[in-house]
Amino acid sequence: MKHAIYPGSFDPITNGHLDIIERAVKIFDHVTVAVLSNPQKTPLFSISERVEMIQKAVLKTSSDLTVDQFQGLLVDYAEKINAQVILRGLRAVSDFEFEFQLSLMNRRLNPNIQTVYLMSGSDVTYLSSGLVKEIARLGGDVTDFVPRHVKAKLQERLVDV
Ligand code: ADP
């Protein structure tokens, strides 16, 4: 059984992430979307809020999908849940340098786990959580970039700050 883990911050999930998830469930037997709990970052949404937003967004996607959270080394978590593949998305050439370094380091840490990159559709490839938050903060319309419940959460949160 081919089990892939799709790790990330997902602060919040965007249509770009969802594009990658939809492609992944067609390739792998099981996909775990794993939200990284990183104490060094100050996210807009808590871990449980991010997990909940993803769960809601993937309700109709596939039964072969789990949403989880993890701390610490990704390769250790991947091994714990028996995932053989780390899945990442590639947008522009600018993603490449960091992703290249990350995949080689993860390979060094655990040579049994392979990193696989997928490219999203051209209609969402320019999306990032950071850009979406910035647009929402400046009062722009994010309807086309995130699921409806995420848009509502963004509006609610950005009114608070
Ligand atoms: P991280 O902090 O780990 O980069 P993100 O939530 O920003 O977490 O991204 C998680 C993964 O999803 C990364 O591999 C990123 O390249 C990918 N990704 C994010 N947005 C897109 C997009 N619009 N198209 C393709 N891949 C994307």
Side-chain angles (χ1 to χ4, degrees):
M1 183 172 119
K2 289 280 168 258
H3 181 181
I5 170 173
Y6 180 35
S9 311
F10 304 101
D11 185 40
I13 186 152
T14 70
N15 292 346
H17 294 123
L18 286 169
D19 177 293
I20 297 288
I21 293 169
E22 273 156 27
R23 287 170 204 278
V25 293
K26 290 184 193 144
I27 302 171
F28 299 100
D29 299 311
H30 194 86
V31 175
T32 296
V33 181
V35 184
L36 169 66
S37 166
N38 183 352
Q40 276 157 351
K41 279 194 182 175
T42 334
L44 183 63
F45 296 105
S46 71
I47 273 276
S48 51
E49 284 174 313
R50 282 180 273 158
V51 167
E52 213 178 292
M53 281 187 273
I54 300 171
Q55 271 165 343
K56 220 166 164 179
V58 299
L59 268 182
K60 290 186 211 128
T61 304
S62 162
S63 52
D64 302 317
L65 190 117
T66 311
V67 186
D68 198 7
Q69 51 177 281
F70 75 103
Q71 279 181 328
L73 276 181
L74 174 60
V75 286
D76 291 346
Y77 173 71
E79 194 156 42
K80 190 177 124 200
I81 63 166
N82 284 322
Q84 311 92 339
V85 171
I86 294 170
L87 185 67
R88 298 282 291 173
L90 270 186
R91 285 163 290 192
V93 181
S94 52
D95 277 343
F96 181 78
E97 215 167 322
F98 174 68
E99 293 293 340
F100 184 62
Q101 196 183 11
L102 192 69
S103 68
L104 291 181
M105 179 52 86
N106 281 331
R107 184 183 289 168
R108 178 75 205 270
L109 293 171
N110 188 334
N112 298 319
I113 298 174
Q114 304 301 329
T115 305
V116 169
Y117 291 95
L118 289 179
M119 267 169 274
S120 52
S122 54
D123 52 333
V124 292
T125 194
Y126 56 89
L127 284 178
S128 71
S129 302
L131 201 54
V132 166
K133 280 185 282 191
E134 193 60 20
I135 292 162
R137 194 173 281 131
L138 297 171
D141 184 5
V142 295
T143 308
D144 292 342
F145 311 144
V146 291
R148 207 196 299 214
H149 65 279
V150 175
K151 178 186 167 185
K153 274 284 233 182
L154 273 167
Q155 283 169 336
E156 180 190 298
R157 181 59 41 91
L158 294 169
V159 165
D160 294 346
V161 289

